[in-house]
Amino acid sequence: MSTRSQNAMSFSEEVQRHSVHTLVFRSLKRTHDMFLSCQGMLPPIDEEAEKIKKLVKARDCYGLVFDKVERNKINMKKSQPNHPKSDSLDIYKDNHLPLAITDNPEKVNKNTETSMVLSSPSTQNIAAANRLINHIMPKPKWHPPWKLYRVISGHLGWVRCVTVEPGNEWFATGAADRVIKIWDLASGKLKLSLTGHVSTVRGLQVSPRHPYLFSCGEDRQVKCWDLEHNKVVRHYHGHLSAVYSLALHPTIDVLLTAGRDSTARVWDMRTKANVHTLTGHTNTVASVVAHEFEPQVLTGSHDCTIRLWDLAAGKTRATLTNHKKSVRSLVLHPKVYMFASASPDNIKQWTCPDGKFIQNLTGHNAIVNCMAVNSDGVLMSGANNGSMYAWDWRTGYNFQRMQAPVQPGSMDSEAGVFAMAFDNSGTRLITAEADKTIKLYREDDTATEESHPINWKPDIIRRRKY
């Protein structure tokens, strides 16, 4: 027998002698021994860096308030000619009252608190402080609460997307059962089922100018359906992985898609040409929206950034890095030149065209998957745990919290809300959920401002206990 064959036999015996389980266990033991010595040895905290971080955070969140207070100081100095050197906030200091939001709470010592109990500020001082606070925090508009009025079953998998057609007569949903279903909006009855995708349908849009329905899914396909013949008439090939979101430009025949290949693509709707590939994100692009005005394209990604794109050049116009966790949803306000972004840390509002930060909407303790806003200024958000929050767009006031009920026989973990959309009147909300159902909500007609009052207390001075 040759030396080569002997070596081959000995090598095969050696492999057989040690099982895969033994080799993996040895590897784990070596890794454990290597890293055990430095376990729990965290680097010391740099107090200077922590201080700078807090200052930057404070400026980022409350910069507008700080600037407003400085302007008020200047204006109040001008309005007091007899006391040119006096501080504009002496009305608060004379009564030992720290200014809400802007004053440092560490300055309030025990003596100050005692004097606050003994002394009562004048009506003039209270009115001046309340005017300032009401200017910074305007009272929210009253909105009636929303209630569930219909549950539609029919899909055999998680319902991942929903869209309403421009005529407001029907809506379409896509799900993990690979089927697109079209439902009558008034009655909730199934009108049509479209099959063609070979994996989960993740995005749907109906064109307002053509009889076309566009769909995308985890099978990397982007399809154009002719609704007059109920069949696919175009495919848009180019994405290298699952396509998670799509949008139609409101004025030009352009289709935008985004997905797991970290890109957003711009397609000529008619020629199927890939006009631009918008690159720059470093992780999955979860949401894309199209705008008539600049910026015409906005994308939100799992790399925690939002990008505003120049559609003509196909380049990034601005990158917003305020979020600390993945951005899963973007929504444009139908009337105001603003947009909102949703992330597990919070919901943020921005102004166009440069993405100037406005305010945080905090309260969700889960991954926020979707948002929808109507022309009345009601912003709805839905999360992975089935929680749905209703917000006043202007003030960020959370006026209602709901928990989506799961279908009988479903697990509690199937309470996630994956997509939502208002109908074109803004009076009905459609949600797509993990319990394989579609739920419809509407405003409670019996609710009044007396039965559901606004729990809003901007009058900080009055709320102090003297």
Side-chain angles (χ1 to χ4, degrees):
M1 187 180 292
S2 64
T3 307
R4 183 178 297 176
S5 60
Q6 289 177 355
N7 291 338
M9 286 180 64
S10 63
F11 180 72
S12 63
E13 289 173 1
E14 224 175 280
V15 172
Q16 291 170 1
R17 195 178 302 135
H18 301 288
S19 66
V20 175
H21 180 272
T22 304
L23 295 173
V24 170
F25 182 77
R26 283 184 182 176
S27 177
L28 287 172
K29 188 174 183 303
R30 288 172 186 154
T31 306
H32 179 267
D33 293 340
M34 180 182 294
F35 292 105
L36 183 64
S37 59
C38 58
Q39 183 180 4
M41 294 174 60
L42 297 176
I45 296 174
D46 188 343
E47 294 183 1
E48 188 66 26
E50 283 291 310
K51 184 179 178 182
I52 294 171
K53 176 185 172 184
K54 289 179 180 177
L55 289 172
V56 171
K57 186 78 174 176
R59 189 70 199 174
D60 178 50
C61 295
Y62 302 109
L64 295 174
V65 178
F66 294 154
D67 296 339
K68 190 71 182 175
V69 170
E70 290 300 322
R71 287 198 296 272
N72 285 337
K73 284 182 179 180
I74 296 169
N75 292 337
M76 292 182 74
K77 280 182 180 179
K78 291 179 180 178
S79 64
Q80 295 179 358
N82 296 330
H83 302 84
K85 295 182 181 180
S86 65
D87 193 340
S88 63
L89 298 179
D90 282 345
I91 57 170
Y92 308 108
K93 293 178 182 176
D94 289 343
N95 294 285
H96 309 286
L97 290 174
L99 181 62
I101 299 175
T102 56
D103 207 333
N104 187 350
E106 293 178 0
K107 293 180 182 177
V108 186
N109 54 25
K110 292 182 180 179
N111 295 331
T112 304
E113 291 174 0
T114 307
S115 62
M116 284 171 60
V117 174
L118 297 175
S119 63
S120 176
S122 66
T123 308
Q124 182 182 0
N125 294 350
I126 290 175
N130 288 341
R131 279 198 302 272
L132 175 62
I133 293 166
N134 281 318
H135 189 79
I136 296 171
M137 300 181 293
K139 184 177 180 180
K141 177 184 175 183
W142 182 81
H143 301 282
W146 292 72
K147 63 178 182 179
L148 177 69
Y149 77 95
R150 179 174 291 145
V151 178
I152 301 173
S153 300
H155 280 291
L156 302 177
W158 288 358
V159 190
R160 299 305 303 247
C161 52
V162 60
T163 186
V164 182
E165 66 98 14
N168 215 37
E169 294 180 357
W170 52 266
F171 65 94
T173 56
D177 58 5
R178 309 181 298 278
V179 180
I180 300 167
K181 290 183 181 286
I182 294 176
W183 312 84
D184 184 72
L185 186 56
S187 64
K189 293 182 178 178
L190 179 65
K191 299 179 71 172
L192 185 67
S193 293
L194 301 173
T195 58
H197 281 280
V198 295
S199 190
T200 304
V201 182
R202 293 294 295 263
L204 291 171
Q205 284 288 329
V206 183
S207 172
R209 298 190 303 279
H210 317 92
Y212 293 153
L213 168 70
F214 294 87
S215 65
C216 65
E218 293 180 7
D219 51 7
R220 298 180 292 180
Q221 297 185 37
V222 182
K223 297 176 182 286
C224 173
W225 303 78
D226 187 338
L227 295 176
E228 292 178 344
H229 300 92
N230 298 330
K231 64 179 184 181
V232 179
V233 293
R234 291 187 187 91
H235 288 90
Y236 301 89
H237 296 290
H239 275 285
L240 306 176
S241 191
V243 188
Y244 285 168
S245 178
L246 60 80
L248 292 171
H249 196 283
T251 56
I252 57 178
D253 290 344
V254 161
L255 170 68
L256 301 128
T257 57
R260 209 168 63 195
D261 58 3
S262 306
T263 65
R265 294 176 186 265
V266 183
W267 309 89
D268 187 310
M269 194 184 292
R270 298 186 180 278
T271 65
K272 301 180 285 184
N274 188 179
V275 180
H276 291 303
T277 300
L278 308 178
T279 58
H281 285 294
T282 58
N283 207 330
T284 300
V285 184
S287 181
V288 59
V289 291
H291 206 242
E292 182 179 355
F293 310 104
E294 294 294 337
Q296 296 185 57
V297 182
L298 301 92
T299 55
S301 171
H302 287 192
D303 64 6
C304 311
T305 66
I306 303 161
R307 285 181 180 260
L308 283 54
W309 301 88
D310 183 338
L311 183 58
K315 294 181 180 178
T316 303
R317 176 186 178 131
T319 303
L320 311 178
T321 59
N322 298 46
H323 280 290
K324 301 299 179 284
K325 295 186 179 179
S326 58
V327 181
R328 293 173 184 256
S329 180
L330 297 175
V331 67
L332 295 165
H333 194 286
K335 287 186 175 179
V336 184
Y337 198 30
M338 292 174 66
F339 69 97
S341 57
S343 173
D345 51 8
N346 48 42
I347 298 169
K348 295 180 186 290
Q349 289 179 327
W350 318 80
T351 59
C352 296
D354 299 320
K356 184 180 178 183
F357 173 73
I358 298 299
Q359 64 181 347
N360 284 319
L361 278 60
T362 57
H364 270 294
N365 293 318
I367 296 171
V368 183
N369 289 320
C370 53
M371 293 186 297
V373 61
N374 64 10
S375 55
D376 197 35
V378 175
L379 173 68
M380 301 291 292
S381 57
N384 255 5
N385 60 358
S387 61
M388 292 173 55
Y389 285 19
W391 314 82
D392 177 57
W393 178 277
R394 181 166 171 261
T395 60
Y397 170 60
N398 178 208
F399 67 88
Q400 187 181 9
R401 299 187 178 190
M402 297 179 283
Q403 182 67 34
V406 296
Q407 281 294 89
S410 301
M411 297 182 292
D412 290 339
S413 59
E414 291 183 316
V417 182
F418 288 131
M420 58 174 53
F422 281 104
D423 72 341
N424 294 324
S425 67
T427 58
R428 287 172 288 190
L429 177 72
I430 307 164
T431 62
E433 306 197 7
D435 62 354
K436 306 172 188 175
T437 65
I438 302 133
K439 295 185 175 70
L440 280 77
Y441 297 81
R442 65 184 173 198
E443 292 178 341
D444 189 351
D445 298 333
T446 61
T448 62
E449 198 163 352
E450 288 74 27
S451 63
H452 293 78
I454 296 175
N455 187 21
W456 180 254
K457 298 176 180 177
D459 193 349
I460 294 176
I461 303 299
R462 284 193 187 278
R463 286 194 292 120
R464 294 187 182 277
K465 294 181 180 179
Y466 299 110

